[in-house]
Amino acid sequence: MVAAARNNLRRSEDLAWLITGPMGLFAVLVTLFLAFNEKPFAGSWLLGLLFLGLFLLVDLSPLVFQVRRQAFKVILTEIPTVLALYWIPPLTLILARVLALLISRQVRRSTPVKMWFNGASNAAGTAFACLIVFTLGPLHVEGAPKDAGPYEWAVLAVAVAGMATFTLAATVGVITLVQGRIPNRVLLQIILPGYVVSGINITTGLITLVIFQQGPWAVLLLAALGSCFVIAYRSYTQFVRQHRTLSEIYELTRAIADTPHNDTLTDVLLHRVRALLQVEYATLWLPALGRYPEVLLTARVDDSGLVDLTGVPEAIRRQVRETGETVAIGHKIGDESLRRVLNAAGSKDAIVVALRAGAAVIGTLEVANRLGESATLGPTDAQLLETVAAHAAVAVENSRLVQRLRHDAYHDSLTGLANRRRITAAIEESVGVGAPGEHVALLLFDVDRLRQVNESLGHGAGDQVLTEVARRLRACAPSGALVGRLGSDEFAVTLRVDSAEAAQALAGRMREQIRDQMGFGSLTLDVETAVGIAVYPDHGSDAATLLQRADLAATAAKTVPGSVQLFNAGLESRSVRRLALAGDLRDALDNDQLEVYFQPKVTLTDRRLIGVECLARWEHPVHGAVPPEDFVAVAEHTGQLAKLTEAVLKEGLRRCRDWAATDHPLSISVNLAARTLIDADFPTRVQELLGEYGVAPHRLTFEIKEEGVLDGTDRPMPTLRRLRDIGVRLSVDDFGTGYSSLSYLRRLPVHEVKVDRSFVQGMATDPADLAIVNAVVTLSQQFGLTVVAEGVESELTLELLQDIGCEVGQGFLFSRPLPYERLEAWFSAQTEAESTAAGEVRRLRAVP
């Protein structure tokens, strides 16, 4: 690409011949005209050689003004030209001027196009000056110059000014032709300094002429004046150059400090460095590092933006990164082998400086191809670039720090996913730019049992679970989705969908794809999630509403088959209702307003009532009957669960004590939440209550849901063992709804297994449910466990349970949950006395 760019440059420079040719023809015609009309036409060749030397001297000491790719030079030719117009004939002057210029161009190794253009423009300009002198003169009398007075001074000044104007116009014309129109501001920067220098030089030339006319000793005064001028001029030039450099460095560092963003920082830095060092290429290279990709950008002359071209070979760049040392290559500096490598890439000189962050090299700052045929980069430029690189390195590190802070502000530190702030902003943006009829879905994944993992295996294991869930979500999410982590165990996926039904189907697929086991040493955990879905515009018009409703749906999803729930208005009203119940529940517990119902547990072989399950019921004075799942959830989230459990336990123990005093003692069962099993004081409180009510421990059974005792960890074991040691019976409730192995029951201190009603009720119609219940009964009996079947609602189900050997049943076939008084009435009405060897026993009547 660099070679192609250079070929385009050569083709554009060839346009200069359109001006070079006419100027050369003009110079030849004027020279011939003057040669035939000016006497003598040649003059003294010795004097001509002297002026050749003077022209050559000034040509090699130009003042340079840079304009785009071209180097516009103001050469101090006016001084010797004033003297030559006065002392030698036009032909000698033009030949000396052209020959001096061709020699100097050859020394500077100018391209043919530039060399011939400069030769033609200077020949034409000198011829034009001679033509003015010829027209306004004469300056010579019978072949010798006459004494110069004010008129002659004016003629010489006009002639040299005309020459300067001619060459200046030719230079501006060729730049415009090759590079395009020059802005007026830049044009003034060229013309004004050029005319000022020309005016000074013309005046100096006229003063020199006057001094020479005073006699040969005047040369000494002229030499002294010239020496003072040279010293002053060099000092001034050095001062101006230093001042300009310091000003530009100050502006550069201030611009870098005011540009904290990496995308604009590179643009500002490179364009200013390119202008500061007057080079064709200024390049910033930052190799790939961590989250940061590789950067290779270049500011090239005439390009307003940044390009991916570079004038420095990669081998040199890599060397600087490895060694950390500056590499400077030019006409008189640098290693010869590196110079050959650089020249092969099409560059004449280059400087590559390391960007450092402490002791580490984080990249390079490079410049290549000093503009101008004769100009070249040197040691001073290397020092200047090193100074700039030090500021640039600090700016790059600061920019990366800002990027890291911005990234951390919108991303989760553990998983690297977008955080709640980023998800909220993305939803707001999607909602704001959504097309008519377009839907924006928010899928909220709630990871199950994360708290149990943290409590039993430590937060490190919990972090592993979250990281793995994040990885799986990223892998299965559609390409246009944004995946984020909202909180401790909540992940969100937001994307555009065709409909709410499409979002629900996608949530189901993603949930199945992220379900898989995770191993922690010898333990294996299942990754289970509940998914709540909210869709714009069906369920809300802003991010806050959608997030709140997706969270409600996720909570509800934990209690529905498939664990995927689309938001509906009923969920919100239920949630609001639960919130309002929190205060009322506390009052109800304080004032004993909750009632305990009892559901019978019956032996299936002889239909004998052996116990009851204690179930809390709440009749709210305003809302009426509150579903147990509602007020139990409220109690769990408001810290009242222990108080609720104790209230039910006390009422059950009181009734158990009363039944023990009659002829039909009954056992009681009380449900325990999984959170209760982490309360180290709970077994002690149970023992105290048993003693307070005088109930034998074996009459009390605690029912814990399968997910509470079979969570794949040993977290509930201490509490379970202490309860067993007290003598309390333990039961696994809703067995079969989880994913735990039956063989795991052998490790638990439990006495009973309750088969979930979903399998029991399906036994009569689904062979698979029948097989599951049969397997649970068979294996449980082998482990010495009692099996209780929940949800017995038909005689056919009862017969099937009897056939497979199930011992105890519970369900509407026998009775619904009843308050204490109705339970007594039911027992009296539904039983009949039967004489046995052990005495009279009351059995339930056969249900028709």
Side-chain angles (χ1 to χ4, degrees):
M1 295 180 68
V2 175
R6 294 193 174 280
N7 289 334
N8 292 334
L9 176 59
R10 294 190 187 98
R11 285 195 294 270
S12 64
E13 286 182 345
D14 289 341
L15 296 174
W17 288 106
L18 297 177
I19 294 179
T20 302
M23 285 194 305
L25 180 61
F26 173 80
V28 170
L29 293 177
V30 172
T31 301
L32 292 175
F33 171 78
L34 294 174
F36 286 108
N37 291 277
E38 182 76 18
K39 300 299 181 179
F41 71 93
S44 172
W45 290 104
L46 183 59
L47 199 57
L49 291 175
L50 176 61
F51 277 101
L52 172 62
L54 290 175
F55 282 125
L56 188 58
L57 177 63
V58 296
D59 280 342
L60 294 175
S61 305
L63 297 177
V64 180
F65 295 88
Q66 191 64 46
V67 182
R68 297 182 183 176
R69 293 182 182 272
Q70 306 299 326
F72 175 69
K73 298 178 181 180
V74 178
I75 303 173
L76 304 178
T77 54
E78 291 86 352
I79 296 175
T81 301
V82 169
L83 300 176
L85 285 172
Y86 181 76
W87 290 103
I88 61 177
L91 179 60
T92 306
L93 170 57
I94 295 172
L95 291 177
R97 181 72 193 98
V98 173
L99 185 58
L101 188 135
L102 294 177
I103 294 173
S104 66
R105 295 298 95 185
Q106 191 63 33
V107 170
R108 295 181 181 278
R109 299 181 181 180
S110 297
T111 61
V113 174
K114 286 191 174 182
M115 184 174 67
W116 289 110
F117 167 76
N118 283 288
S121 64
N122 279 272
T126 305
F128 183 65
C130 293
L131 186 61
I132 293 176
V133 171
F134 176 82
T135 304
L136 300 178
L139 298 179
H140 296 77
V141 179
E142 296 181 357
K146 63 180 181 179
D147 293 338
Y151 178 78
E152 287 74 21
W153 298 345
V155 171
L156 291 173
V158 171
V160 176
M163 179 192 72
T165 302
F166 190 97
T167 55
L168 181 63
T171 303
V172 172
V174 76
I175 293 176
T176 303
L177 184 64
V178 173
Q179 299 295 326
R181 182 180 176 276
I182 302 175
N184 294 334
R185 180 179 60 83
V186 177
L187 190 61
L188 289 175
Q189 292 176 352
I190 298 172
I191 294 175
L192 292 180
Y195 274 117
V196 170
V197 172
S198 294
I200 294 173
N201 292 337
I202 291 171
T203 304
T204 303
L206 293 175
I207 293 173
T208 303
L209 176 61
V210 172
I211 292 175
F212 270 121
Q213 288 183 327
Q214 300 303 314
W217 292 106
V219 176
L220 296 178
L221 295 176
L222 184 62
L225 178 62
S227 299
C228 293
F229 175 79
V230 169
I231 294 173
Y233 185 78
R234 286 184 176 179
S235 299
Y236 173 77
T237 303
Q238 183 178 6
F239 170 77
V240 170
R241 183 167 57 249
Q242 291 176 347
H243 181 270
R244 173 177 170 272
T245 301
L246 291 174
S247 298
E248 292 189 0
I249 289 178
Y250 171 74
E251 293 295 332
L252 175 61
T253 54
R254 189 175 67 174
I256 291 175
D258 294 341
T259 312
H261 303 300
N262 194 48
D263 48 356
T264 54
L265 169 65
T266 305
D267 192 287
V268 171
L269 171 66
L270 294 181
H271 279 97
R272 287 183 175 267
V273 168
R274 193 211 62 74
L276 175 63
L277 293 175
Q278 290 296 298
V279 290
E280 183 178 0
Y281 298 98
T283 302
L284 176 68
W285 176 60
L286 301 174
L289 178 64
R291 71 176 66 169
Y292 305 107
E294 181 181 14
V295 174
L296 180 63
L297 293 173
T298 298
R300 190 176 63 170
V301 67
D302 291 339
D303 288 325
S304 58
L306 300 180
V307 297
D308 58 355
L309 303 174
T310 176
V312 178
E314 184 177 358
I316 299 177
R317 184 180 306 117
R318 298 288 178 182
Q319 175 182 327
V320 173
R321 186 190 182 190
E322 293 172 1
T323 63
E325 300 294 332
T326 299
V327 172
I329 308 168
H331 181 61
K332 298 180 180 179
I333 58 173
D335 184 83
E336 183 61 32
S337 61
L338 292 179
R339 188 177 299 112
R340 288 193 295 269
V341 173
L342 183 66
N343 292 337
S347 298
K348 65 176 182 179
D349 51 11
I351 301 174
V352 183
V353 177
L355 297 178
R356 296 180 178 276
V361 176
I362 62 172
T364 61
L365 183 61
E366 312 162 9
V367 294
N369 268 9
R370 169 62 64 83
L371 295 174
E373 292 296 330
S374 59
T376 184
L377 295 170
T380 303
D381 298 310
Q383 295 175 358
L384 178 59
L385 190 60
E386 287 175 346
T387 302
V388 174
H391 292 283
V394 173
V396 169
E397 281 299 289
N398 289 341
S399 177
R400 286 182 170 179
L401 175 60
V402 171
Q403 286 184 337
R404 286 195 295 270
L405 293 175
R406 186 184 296 115
H407 181 274
D408 293 343
Y410 288 96
H411 291 81
D412 175 53
S413 59
L414 175 63
T415 63
L417 298 178
N419 60 13
R420 178 180 290 272
R421 180 184 298 179
R422 177 72 183 92
I423 289 289
T424 302
I427 296 174
E428 293 289 359
E429 181 180 355
S430 299
V431 168
V433 300
E438 191 175 43
H439 295 74
V440 178
L442 174 63
L443 316 180
L444 194 151
F445 292 78
D446 192 317
V447 181
D448 290 342
R449 297 183 294 180
L450 180 65
R451 175 181 293 179
Q452 299 170 7
V453 174
N454 288 332
E455 293 172 350
S456 58
L457 300 178
H459 287 275
D463 290 345
Q464 291 184 45
V465 172
L466 294 173
T467 303
E468 179 63 18
V469 171
R471 186 193 66 80
R472 295 177 184 181
L473 279 175
R474 269 195 299 252
C476 67
S479 58
L482 176 63
V483 182
R485 182 185 175 202
L486 296 178
S488 61
D489 58 356
E490 292 181 340
F491 293 84
V493 178
T494 180
L495 73 165
R496 299 186 185 279
V497 293
D498 295 330
S499 62
E501 292 73 20
Q504 192 169 8
L506 174 63
R509 292 195 300 271
M510 292 182 65
R511 180 180 180 274
E512 290 301 318
Q513 291 176 18
I514 65 175
R515 286 178 63 185
D516 200 358
Q517 293 182 336
M518 283 188 63
F520 294 92
S522 60
L523 294 178
T524 300
L525 299 180
D526 294 307
V527 177
E528 289 293 333
T529 56
V531 189
I533 307 165
V535 178
Y536 164 84
D538 301 349
H539 306 140
S541 58
D542 59 85
T545 303
L546 292 173
L547 283 167
Q548 183 250 340
R549 291 179 173 175
D551 190 43
L552 288 176
T555 302
K558 298 176 181 180
T559 62
V560 301
S563 297
V564 176
Q565 177 67 56
L566 183 67
F567 174 80
N568 59 71
L571 298 177
E572 188 167 43
S573 60
R574 182 176 177 183
S575 175
V576 173
R577 184 166 173 252
R578 282 186 178 181
L579 184 62
L581 292 176
D584 296 338
L585 177 61
R586 181 175 289 103
D587 294 337
L589 290 172
D590 292 340
N591 299 317
D592 295 327
Q593 294 176 358
L594 265 68
E595 190 174 0
V596 177
Y597 279 41
F598 305 92
Q599 186 172 25
K601 297 172 71 173
V602 180
T603 58
L604 300 183
T605 55
D606 55 7
R607 299 194 183 191
R608 184 164 49 88
L609 179 65
I610 60 173
V612 293
E613 180 179 359
C614 303
L615 301 169
R617 294 293 184 266
W618 182 19
E619 188 71 21
H620 193 278
V622 176
H623 301 293
V626 180
E629 59 269 21
D630 282 0
F631 67 77
V632 170
V634 170
E636 189 168 4
H637 285 88
T638 57
Q640 303 180 73
L641 183 61
K643 195 172 185 179
L644 173 62
T645 302
E646 184 169 328
V648 175
L649 180 58
K650 284 182 177 181
E651 179 64 15
L653 291 175
R654 186 167 71 88
R655 297 304 179 185
C656 185
R657 180 187 60 188
D658 295 343
W659 288 321
T662 65
D663 58 350
H664 52 276
L666 300 176
S667 298
I668 62 169
S669 298
V670 176
N671 290 290
L672 289 185
R675 182 175 295 182
T676 305
L677 297 178
I678 65 175
D679 184 357
D681 297 330
F682 180 71
T684 302
R685 182 57 179 159
V686 171
Q687 192 170 17
E688 292 174 353
L689 290 175
L690 287 171
E692 179 182 343
Y693 286 95
V695 175
H698 72 275
R699 291 290 183 185
L700 173 62
T701 299
F702 283 122
E703 297 183 6
I704 307 103
K705 290 187 180 297
E706 178 185 359
E707 64 182 17
V709 293
L710 302 178
D711 62 353
T713 71
D714 293 332
R715 182 181 59 89
M717 296 300 290
T719 301
L720 293 175
R721 290 194 181 99
R722 288 185 62 191
L723 291 173
R724 181 198 59 187
D725 294 342
I726 292 172
V728 172
R729 290 173 56 82
L730 300 173
S731 175
V732 179
D733 196 10
D734 294 339
F735 190 81
T737 57
Y739 299 94
S740 301
S741 170
L742 278 169
S743 62
Y744 191 67
L745 290 172
R746 299 180 61 186
R747 300 175 52 194
L748 296 174
V750 297
H751 306 84
E752 178 181 285
V753 173
K754 295 187 73 173
V755 184
D756 186 68
R757 67 181 66 251
S758 61
F759 299 111
V760 174
Q761 292 174 350
M763 289 175 59
T765 57
D766 190 340
D769 287 343
L770 178 60
I772 290 174
V773 176
N774 189 18
V776 172
V777 172
T778 301
L779 290 175
S780 297
Q781 290 175 345
Q782 292 179 0
F783 295 153
L785 303 176
T786 302
V787 180
V788 179
E790 294 182 295
V792 181
E793 297 182 359
S794 69
E795 283 291 336
L796 179 56
T797 301
L798 177 61
E799 293 175 2
L800 291 173
L801 289 169
Q802 290 173 335
D803 291 341
I804 64 177
C806 184
E807 302 164 297
V808 181
Q810 181 180 347
F812 291 172
L813 178 64
F814 307 116
S815 175
R816 294 175 179 272
L818 300 171
Y820 175 75
E821 293 78 9
R822 290 181 58 188
L823 178 68
E824 287 295 320
W826 170 85
F827 182 69
S828 299
Q830 297 296 324
T831 61
E832 56 186 12
E834 179 180 328
S835 298
T836 66
E840 188 177 85
V841 177
R842 300 189 65 82
R843 303 186 187 278
L844 292 175
R845 295 189 179 93
V847 179

